[in-house]
Amino acid sequence: MPASPSTARAINDRLALRLLQQQGPLTAGQLKQLTGLSRPTVADLVERLQSAALITVVGEAGAERRGPNARLYGIVADRAHLAALDVRTDGLTVVVADLLGTVLAEASVPIGGDTGTGPAVEQAVALVERTAKEAGAERLHSIGVGAPGLIDPATGELRDSSGLPAWHRRLAGALHERLAARVLVENETNLAALAEQRDGAAADRDTFVLLWLGHGVGAAVVLDGALRRGASGGTGEIGFLPVPGTAGLPSATACDGGFHSLAGAAAIAELALSHGLLTPQVSHEPPAAALVRQAASAAAGGREHAFLDALADRLAIGVASVTAVLDPGCVVLGGEVGHGGGEVLAARVADRLASMSPLPTEVRASTLGGAAVLRGALLKAREAAQDELFPG
Protein backbone atom coordinates (compact mmCIF):
# COMPACT_ATOMS: atom_id res chain seq x y z
CA MET A 1 0.00 0.00 0.00
CA PRO A 2 1.22 3.53 -0.71
CA ALA A 3 2.41 5.51 2.28
CA SER A 4 0.03 8.01 3.83
CA PRO A 5 0.92 11.70 3.41
CA SER A 6 2.10 11.95 7.02
CA THR A 7 4.26 8.82 6.68
CA ALA A 8 5.74 10.10 3.42
CA ARG A 9 6.59 13.43 5.08
CA ALA A 10 8.29 11.64 7.97
CA ILE A 11 10.35 9.49 5.58
CA ASN A 12 11.40 12.55 3.58
CA ASP A 13 12.32 14.49 6.71
CA ARG A 14 14.45 11.66 8.06
CA LEU A 15 16.20 11.25 4.70
CA ALA A 16 17.05 14.96 4.59
CA LEU A 17 18.35 14.92 8.18
CA ARG A 18 20.56 11.90 7.47
CA LEU A 19 22.04 13.64 4.45
CA LEU A 20 22.72 16.79 6.46
CA GLN A 21 24.40 14.71 9.14
CA GLN A 22 26.55 12.73 6.73
CA GLN A 23 27.50 15.46 4.26
CA GLY A 24 27.30 18.62 6.34
CA PRO A 25 25.36 21.79 5.47
CA LEU A 26 23.44 21.69 2.17
CA THR A 27 21.32 24.10 0.16
CA ALA A 28 17.71 23.34 -0.71
CA GLY A 29 18.85 22.72 -4.27
CA GLN A 30 21.42 20.19 -3.13
CA LEU A 31 18.82 18.45 -0.98
CA LYS A 32 16.53 18.28 -4.02
CA GLN A 33 19.29 16.73 -6.10
CA LEU A 34 20.35 14.20 -3.46
CA THR A 35 16.83 13.13 -2.43
CA GLY A 36 15.17 13.21 -5.84
CA LEU A 37 12.25 15.09 -4.31
CA SER A 38 10.43 17.95 -6.01
CA ARG A 39 11.27 21.55 -5.22
CA PRO A 40 7.96 22.20 -3.37
CA THR A 41 8.41 19.03 -1.30
CA VAL A 42 11.93 20.08 -0.29
CA ALA A 43 10.70 23.57 0.57
CA ASP A 44 8.00 22.07 2.80
CA LEU A 45 10.37 19.75 4.65
CA VAL A 46 12.91 22.53 5.20
CA GLU A 47 10.17 24.66 6.75
CA ARG A 48 9.00 21.77 8.97
CA LEU A 49 12.52 20.96 10.19
CA GLN A 50 13.25 24.62 10.93
CA SER A 51 10.01 24.91 12.89
CA ALA A 52 11.02 21.83 14.90
CA ALA A 53 14.39 23.46 15.69
CA LEU A 54 16.21 20.56 14.05
CA ILE A 55 17.91 22.58 11.29
CA THR A 56 18.85 26.20 10.82
CA VAL A 57 20.58 28.44 8.29
CA VAL A 58 24.32 28.21 8.89
CA GLY A 59 25.66 30.23 5.97
CA GLU A 60 25.43 30.77 2.23
CA ALA A 61 26.94 29.02 -0.77
CA GLY A 62 27.54 29.88 -4.39
CA ALA A 63 29.50 32.49 -6.25
CA GLU A 64 27.18 35.36 -5.38
CA ARG A 65 26.42 34.08 -1.83
CA ARG A 66 23.03 35.75 -1.64
CA GLY A 67 19.35 34.98 -1.92
CA PRO A 68 17.19 32.10 -0.63
CA ASN A 69 18.73 29.56 -3.03
CA ALA A 70 22.18 30.14 -1.53
CA ARG A 71 21.17 29.41 2.05
CA LEU A 72 23.02 26.52 3.65
CA TYR A 73 21.01 24.44 6.10
CA GLY A 74 22.65 22.44 8.87
CA ILE A 75 21.54 20.35 11.84
CA VAL A 76 21.22 22.24 15.13
CA ALA A 77 24.11 20.50 16.87
CA ASP A 78 23.15 21.49 20.42
CA ARG A 79 19.58 20.22 20.00
CA ALA A 80 20.75 17.31 22.14
CA HIS A 81 23.89 16.43 24.09
CA LEU A 82 25.21 12.90 24.36
CA ALA A 83 27.68 11.04 26.54
CA ALA A 84 29.73 7.92 25.90
CA LEU A 85 31.45 5.84 28.59
CA ASP A 86 34.22 3.27 28.27
CA VAL A 87 34.01 1.29 31.51
CA ARG A 88 37.04 -0.81 32.43
CA THR A 89 37.78 -2.91 35.51
CA ASP A 90 40.03 -0.18 36.92
CA GLY A 91 38.18 2.99 35.94
CA LEU A 92 36.32 4.72 33.15
CA THR A 93 36.58 7.39 30.47
CA VAL A 94 33.71 9.64 29.41
CA VAL A 95 33.19 11.97 26.46
CA VAL A 96 30.34 14.43 25.97
CA ALA A 97 29.37 15.41 22.44
CA ASP A 98 26.69 17.24 20.50
CA LEU A 99 24.14 15.75 18.12
CA LEU A 100 26.65 15.77 15.27
CA GLY A 101 29.10 13.73 17.32
CA THR A 102 31.56 16.57 17.91
CA VAL A 103 33.36 15.89 21.19
CA LEU A 104 33.02 18.84 23.57
CA ALA A 105 34.72 17.47 26.70
CA GLU A 106 36.51 14.32 27.83
CA ALA A 107 37.74 13.01 31.19
CA SER A 108 38.87 9.84 32.95
CA VAL A 109 38.98 8.57 36.52
CA PRO A 110 40.76 5.54 38.01
CA ILE A 111 38.71 3.38 40.36
CA GLY A 112 40.76 1.01 42.48
CA GLY A 113 39.77 -2.57 43.13
CA ASP A 114 39.41 -1.86 46.86
CA THR A 115 36.84 0.90 46.28
CA GLY A 116 33.40 -0.03 47.60
CA THR A 117 30.49 -0.35 45.19
CA GLY A 118 28.68 2.77 46.40
CA PRO A 119 31.72 5.07 46.33
CA ALA A 120 32.75 3.68 42.94
CA VAL A 121 29.34 4.42 41.44
CA GLU A 122 29.42 7.91 42.95
CA GLN A 123 32.85 8.60 41.44
CA ALA A 124 31.66 7.48 38.03
CA VAL A 125 28.41 9.45 38.03
CA ALA A 126 30.13 12.56 39.39
CA LEU A 127 32.67 12.36 36.56
CA VAL A 128 29.88 12.29 33.98
CA GLU A 129 28.19 15.27 35.65
CA ARG A 130 31.43 17.30 35.71
CA THR A 131 32.23 16.49 32.11
CA ALA A 132 28.74 17.45 30.96
CA LYS A 133 29.06 20.76 32.80
CA GLU A 134 32.44 21.39 31.21
CA ALA A 135 30.89 20.72 27.80
CA GLY A 136 28.14 23.27 28.48
CA ALA A 137 25.41 20.63 28.41
CA GLU A 138 22.45 21.47 30.64
CA ARG A 139 21.21 17.91 30.31
CA LEU A 140 22.21 14.71 28.55
CA HIS A 141 19.71 13.15 26.20
CA SER A 142 21.34 9.72 25.76
CA ILE A 143 24.31 7.92 27.29
CA GLY A 144 26.05 5.00 25.61
CA VAL A 145 27.98 2.71 27.95
CA GLY A 146 30.55 0.17 26.81
CA ALA A 147 31.49 -2.40 29.46
CA PRO A 148 33.08 -5.85 29.63
CA GLY A 149 30.80 -8.79 30.29
CA LEU A 150 27.54 -10.22 29.00
CA ILE A 151 24.51 -8.08 28.21
CA ASP A 152 21.18 -9.77 28.89
CA PRO A 153 19.30 -9.60 25.56
CA ALA A 154 15.95 -9.51 27.36
CA THR A 155 16.68 -6.60 29.70
CA GLY A 156 19.67 -4.86 28.10
CA GLU A 157 21.47 -4.98 31.45
CA LEU A 158 24.89 -6.28 32.41
CA ARG A 159 24.72 -9.80 33.77
CA ASP A 160 26.48 -10.76 36.97
CA SER A 161 29.85 -11.96 35.69
CA SER A 162 32.54 -13.49 37.84
CA GLY A 163 35.58 -11.28 38.24
CA LEU A 164 33.95 -8.00 37.20
CA PRO A 165 33.39 -5.20 39.73
CA ALA A 166 29.89 -4.91 41.17
CA TRP A 167 29.79 -1.18 40.44
CA HIS A 168 29.61 -1.92 36.71
CA ARG A 169 26.11 -3.36 37.10
CA ARG A 170 24.92 -0.50 39.32
CA LEU A 171 26.19 2.27 37.08
CA ALA A 172 23.47 2.36 34.41
CA GLY A 173 20.66 2.66 36.98
CA ALA A 174 22.49 5.40 38.86
CA LEU A 175 23.10 7.39 35.68
CA HIS A 176 19.46 7.19 34.69
CA GLU A 177 18.26 8.16 38.14
CA ARG A 178 20.62 11.08 38.61
CA LEU A 179 20.74 12.48 35.08
CA ALA A 180 17.30 11.50 33.76
CA ALA A 181 18.95 10.42 30.52
CA ARG A 182 18.35 7.38 28.37
CA VAL A 183 21.13 4.90 29.18
CA LEU A 184 22.12 2.18 26.72
CA VAL A 185 24.59 -0.51 27.82
CA GLU A 186 26.48 -2.67 25.34
CA ASN A 187 29.40 -5.06 25.46
CA GLU A 188 32.63 -3.15 24.78
CA THR A 189 33.75 -5.45 21.96
CA ASN A 190 30.42 -5.10 20.17
CA LEU A 191 30.71 -1.32 20.33
CA ALA A 192 34.27 -1.48 19.01
CA ALA A 193 33.02 -3.52 16.06
CA LEU A 194 30.33 -0.94 15.29
CA ALA A 195 32.96 1.79 15.30
CA GLU A 196 35.38 -0.17 13.10
CA GLN A 197 32.55 -0.81 10.65
CA ARG A 198 31.48 2.83 10.56
CA ASP A 199 34.83 4.60 10.68
CA GLY A 200 37.65 2.05 10.84
CA ALA A 201 39.22 -1.07 9.42
CA ALA A 202 35.94 -2.74 8.41
CA ALA A 203 34.31 0.24 6.70
CA ASP A 204 34.02 -1.72 3.45
CA ARG A 205 32.73 -4.94 5.02
CA ASP A 206 29.22 -5.99 6.00
CA THR A 207 30.45 -9.36 7.33
CA PHE A 208 33.48 -9.60 9.60
CA VAL A 209 34.69 -10.61 13.05
CA LEU A 210 36.49 -8.25 15.40
CA LEU A 211 38.96 -10.03 17.68
CA TRP A 212 39.39 -7.77 20.72
CA LEU A 213 42.88 -7.93 22.23
CA GLY A 214 43.17 -5.88 25.40
CA HIS A 215 43.27 -6.79 29.07
CA GLY A 216 41.24 -9.83 28.08
CA VAL A 217 40.10 -11.22 24.76
CA GLY A 218 36.72 -11.21 23.10
CA ALA A 219 35.10 -11.18 19.70
CA ALA A 220 32.25 -9.37 17.99
CA VAL A 221 30.41 -10.91 15.07
CA VAL A 222 28.85 -8.80 12.31
CA LEU A 223 26.96 -10.77 9.65
CA ASP A 224 25.27 -9.10 6.69
CA GLY A 225 25.62 -5.73 8.39
CA ALA A 226 23.98 -6.81 11.66
CA LEU A 227 25.66 -7.31 15.02
CA ARG A 228 24.92 -10.81 16.34
CA ARG A 229 24.58 -11.21 20.10
CA GLY A 230 23.36 -14.80 20.47
CA ALA A 231 20.57 -16.34 22.54
CA SER A 232 22.07 -15.27 25.88
CA GLY A 233 24.15 -12.32 24.71
CA GLY A 234 27.31 -14.40 24.70
CA THR A 235 28.32 -14.43 21.05
CA GLY A 236 32.06 -13.78 20.90
CA GLU A 237 33.05 -14.93 24.39
CA ILE A 238 36.13 -16.38 22.78
CA GLY A 239 38.19 -16.19 25.97
CA PHE A 240 36.38 -19.36 27.06
CA LEU A 241 37.24 -21.20 23.83
CA PRO A 242 39.10 -24.45 24.65
CA VAL A 243 42.32 -24.47 22.65
CA PRO A 244 45.57 -26.44 22.55
CA GLY A 245 48.60 -24.98 24.28
CA THR A 246 47.02 -24.21 27.64
CA ALA A 247 47.51 -25.95 30.98
CA GLY A 248 43.87 -27.00 31.34
CA LEU A 249 40.32 -26.23 30.34
CA PRO A 250 38.16 -23.20 31.08
CA SER A 251 35.23 -23.47 33.47
CA ALA A 252 31.78 -21.91 33.51
CA THR A 253 33.07 -19.19 35.86
CA ALA A 254 36.65 -18.64 34.70
CA CYS A 255 38.30 -18.46 31.27
CA ASP A 256 41.70 -19.59 32.56
CA GLY A 257 42.64 -22.52 30.38
CA GLY A 258 40.77 -21.08 27.39
CA PHE A 259 41.99 -18.82 24.60
CA HIS A 260 42.35 -16.07 27.22
CA SER A 261 45.34 -17.98 28.61
CA LEU A 262 47.08 -17.62 25.25
CA ALA A 263 46.11 -14.12 24.19
CA GLY A 264 45.16 -12.12 27.30
CA ALA A 265 47.39 -9.25 28.43
CA ALA A 266 49.08 -11.28 31.18
CA ALA A 267 49.83 -14.13 28.75
CA ILE A 268 51.32 -11.71 26.24
CA ALA A 269 53.56 -10.19 28.91
CA GLU A 270 54.77 -13.67 29.93
CA LEU A 271 55.44 -14.59 26.32
CA ALA A 272 57.46 -11.41 25.81
CA LEU A 273 59.50 -12.09 28.95
CA SER A 274 60.32 -15.59 27.69
CA HIS A 275 61.85 -13.88 24.63
CA GLY A 276 63.89 -11.52 26.79
CA LEU A 277 61.64 -8.50 26.35
CA LEU A 278 60.78 -6.27 29.29
CA THR A 279 57.57 -4.29 29.51
CA PRO A 280 58.24 -0.63 28.62
CA GLN A 281 57.10 1.98 31.12
CA VAL A 282 54.53 3.86 29.09
CA SER A 283 51.72 5.81 30.70
CA HIS A 284 49.45 6.34 27.70
CA GLU A 285 48.69 2.70 26.80
CA PRO A 286 48.37 -0.71 28.50
CA PRO A 287 51.67 -2.59 29.06
CA ALA A 288 50.82 -5.48 26.70
CA ALA A 289 49.97 -3.04 23.91
CA ALA A 290 53.23 -1.15 24.49
CA LEU A 291 55.16 -4.43 24.26
CA VAL A 292 53.56 -5.39 20.97
CA ARG A 293 53.91 -1.90 19.51
CA GLN A 294 57.59 -1.78 20.43
CA ALA A 295 58.19 -5.21 18.91
CA ALA A 296 56.36 -4.32 15.70
CA SER A 297 58.51 -1.23 15.21
CA ALA A 298 61.82 -3.05 15.82
CA ALA A 299 64.17 -4.07 13.05
CA ALA A 300 63.51 -7.45 11.48
CA GLY A 301 65.43 -10.50 12.64
CA GLY A 302 65.70 -9.73 16.34
CA ARG A 303 64.06 -11.23 19.38
CA GLU A 304 61.20 -8.76 19.06
CA HIS A 305 60.11 -10.39 15.83
CA ALA A 306 60.57 -13.87 17.28
CA PHE A 307 58.11 -12.75 19.98
CA LEU A 308 55.66 -11.54 17.33
CA ASP A 309 55.98 -14.85 15.50
CA ALA A 310 55.10 -16.73 18.67
CA LEU A 311 52.20 -14.39 19.40
CA ALA A 312 50.88 -14.81 15.86
CA ASP A 313 51.00 -18.59 16.31
CA ARG A 314 48.72 -18.21 19.33
CA LEU A 315 46.32 -15.74 17.76
CA ALA A 316 45.96 -17.83 14.64
CA ILE A 317 44.52 -20.67 16.73
CA GLY A 318 41.63 -18.52 17.88
CA VAL A 319 41.15 -16.89 14.48
CA ALA A 320 41.10 -20.28 12.73
CA SER A 321 38.43 -21.53 15.13
CA VAL A 322 36.20 -18.53 14.44
CA THR A 323 36.80 -18.78 10.71
CA ALA A 324 35.90 -22.47 10.59
CA VAL A 325 32.48 -21.77 12.14
CA LEU A 326 31.53 -18.41 10.62
CA ASP A 327 33.60 -17.98 7.43
CA PRO A 328 33.47 -14.17 7.79
CA GLY A 329 36.05 -13.46 5.10
CA CYS A 330 37.63 -10.77 7.28
CA VAL A 331 38.98 -10.66 10.82
CA VAL A 332 40.05 -7.38 12.42
CA LEU A 333 42.64 -7.52 15.21
CA GLY A 334 41.21 -4.90 17.52
CA GLY A 335 41.81 -3.39 20.92
CA GLU A 336 45.01 -1.73 22.03
CA VAL A 337 47.11 -4.83 21.28
CA GLY A 338 45.71 -5.37 17.79
CA HIS A 339 46.20 -1.70 16.97
CA GLY A 340 49.70 -1.75 18.45
CA GLY A 341 50.75 -4.75 16.35
CA GLY A 342 49.48 -3.06 13.21
CA GLU A 343 50.04 -4.63 9.82
CA VAL A 344 53.21 -6.34 11.06
CA LEU A 345 51.23 -8.58 13.42
CA ALA A 346 48.19 -8.87 11.13
CA ALA A 347 50.32 -10.14 8.25
CA ARG A 348 51.87 -12.82 10.46
CA VAL A 349 48.46 -14.02 11.64
CA ALA A 350 47.19 -14.04 8.05
CA ASP A 351 50.13 -16.21 6.91
CA ARG A 352 49.52 -18.77 9.64
CA LEU A 353 45.78 -18.75 9.05
CA ALA A 354 46.28 -19.45 5.34
CA SER A 355 48.17 -22.63 6.21
CA MET A 356 45.52 -23.75 8.72
CA SER A 357 42.25 -22.98 6.95
CA PRO A 358 41.00 -23.51 3.39
CA LEU A 359 38.73 -20.46 3.74
CA PRO A 360 40.14 -17.22 2.30
CA THR A 361 40.21 -14.68 5.11
CA GLU A 362 41.68 -11.21 5.30
CA VAL A 363 43.33 -10.26 8.58
CA ARG A 364 43.41 -6.53 9.21
CA ALA A 365 44.75 -4.37 12.00
CA SER A 366 42.37 -2.07 13.83
CA THR A 367 42.63 1.59 12.89
CA LEU A 368 40.84 2.77 16.05
CA GLY A 369 42.38 0.58 18.77
CA GLY A 370 41.06 1.08 22.28
CA ALA A 371 39.35 4.32 21.23
CA ALA A 372 36.84 2.23 19.29
CA VAL A 373 34.79 1.54 22.44
CA LEU A 374 34.12 5.21 23.12
CA ARG A 375 33.46 5.82 19.44
CA GLY A 376 30.98 2.96 19.33
CA ALA A 377 29.25 4.09 22.53
CA LEU A 378 28.87 7.59 21.10
CA LEU A 379 27.41 6.19 17.87
CA LYS A 380 24.89 4.20 19.90
CA ALA A 381 23.89 7.25 21.97
CA ARG A 382 23.56 9.40 18.87
CA GLU A 383 21.42 6.81 17.12
CA ALA A 384 19.08 6.69 20.12
CA ALA A 385 18.76 10.47 20.20
CA GLN A 386 18.11 10.68 16.48
CA ASP A 387 15.44 7.99 16.64
CA GLU A 388 13.55 10.14 19.13
CA LEU A 389 14.24 13.58 17.73
CA PHE A 390 14.13 12.93 14.01
CA PRO A 391 10.61 12.42 12.66
CA GLY A 392 9.49 8.94 11.57
Side-chain angles (χ1 to χ4, degrees):
M1 295 180 61
S4 67
S6 61
T7 300
R9 286 194 295 270
I11 292 172
N12 292 339
D13 291 353
R14 181 176 284 269
L15 174 59
L17 287 164
R18 295 295 185 191
L19 287 169
L20 289 168
Q21 180 193 73
Q22 295 166 4
Q23 302 197 24
L26 298 168
T27 65
Q30 290 169 326
L31 281 171
K32 174 182 177 298
Q33 181 179 11
L34 291 169
T35 61
L37 299 172
S38 67
R39 188 179 300 276
T41 300
V42 170
D44 287 343
L45 75 83
V46 165
E47 183 177 351
R48 280 195 304 275
L49 296 177
Q50 282 186 295
S51 297
L54 288 170
I55 68 172
T56 188
V57 176
V58 295
E60 293 187 338
E64 297 183 3
R65 295 183 181 276
R66 64 185 184 188
N69 292 335
R71 290 173 184 163
L72 279 169
Y73 298 96
I75 289 177
V76 179
D78 60 1
R79 182 72 166 75
H81 287 97
L82 319 167
L85 277 66
D86 181 358
V87 179
R88 303 292 176 102
T89 56
D90 57 354
L92 80 157
T93 299
V94 57
V95 299
V96 174
D98 61 25
L99 191 55
L100 288 175
T102 303
V103 174
L104 305 174
E106 181 173 358
S108 299
V109 65
I111 298 179
D114 57 349
T115 306
T117 300
V121 170
E122 176 58 32
Q123 280 185 261
V125 175
L127 180 71
V128 177
E129 289 178 325
R130 289 197 303 272
T131 310
K133 184 177 181 180
E134 181 184 341
E138 292 185 6
R139 68 175 294 269
L140 295 173
H141 182 285
S142 301
I143 302 174
V145 180
L150 299 178
I151 308 298
D152 189 321
T155 65
E157 297 177 351
L158 267 176
R159 289 169 52 185
D160 188 357
S161 299
S162 177
L164 293 178
W167 64 267
H168 283 195
R169 298 189 304 280
R170 302 277 189 86
L171 181 56
L175 287 169
H176 176 71
E177 181 179 348
R178 228 120 99 239
L179 302 176
R182 184 177 181 184
V183 181
L184 307 104
V185 184
E186 180 61 89
N187 173 267
E188 59 181 354
T189 307
N190 287 344
L191 290 178
L194 292 177
E196 292 285 0
Q197 185 182 34
R198 182 74 64 89
D199 303 313
D204 62 338
R205 305 287 307 196
D206 62 0
T207 294
F208 70 100
V209 169
L210 174 79
L211 178 61
W212 178 266
L213 302 169
H215 176 71
V217 296
V221 177
V222 177
L223 302 178
D224 299 325
L227 184 67
R228 306 297 181 176
R229 295 177 175 83
S232 63
T235 294
E237 286 296 314
I238 196 173
F240 287 88
L241 181 72
V243 292
T246 64
L249 291 172
S251 71
T253 57
C255 55
D256 294 334
F259 185 55
H260 173 86
S261 294
L262 293 184
I268 291 175
E270 290 177 7
L271 181 64
L273 187 60
S274 72
H275 284 80
L277 303 179
L278 299 178
T279 303
Q281 299 300 313
V282 180
S283 60
H284 64 278
E285 65 181 339
L291 271 169
V292 173
R293 185 183 301 280
Q294 178 177 274
S297 63
R303 57 189 179 183
E304 290 87 357
H305 282 237
F307 157 64
L308 289 179
D309 288 337
L311 178 58
D313 289 340
R314 294 183 173 194
L315 297 180
I317 293 173
V319 173
S321 301
V322 170
T323 299
V325 175
L326 297 173
D327 187 20
C330 177
V331 173
V332 176
L333 303 184
E336 292 92 350
V337 172
H339 185 253
E343 294 301 327
V344 175
L345 179 60
R348 281 171 161 77
V349 175
D351 287 343
R352 285 150 181 79
L353 182 62
S355 67
M356 298 169 66
S357 171
L359 307 175
T361 307
E362 284 187 77
V363 180
R364 301 177 179 179
S366 162
T367 58
L368 301 176
V373 177
L374 271 178
R375 178 62 181 158
L378 187 56
L379 288 171
K380 192 172 184 69
R382 190 170 73 177
E383 194 71 27
Q386 290 171 347
D387 285 345
E388 181 177 319
L389 296 173
F390 290 7

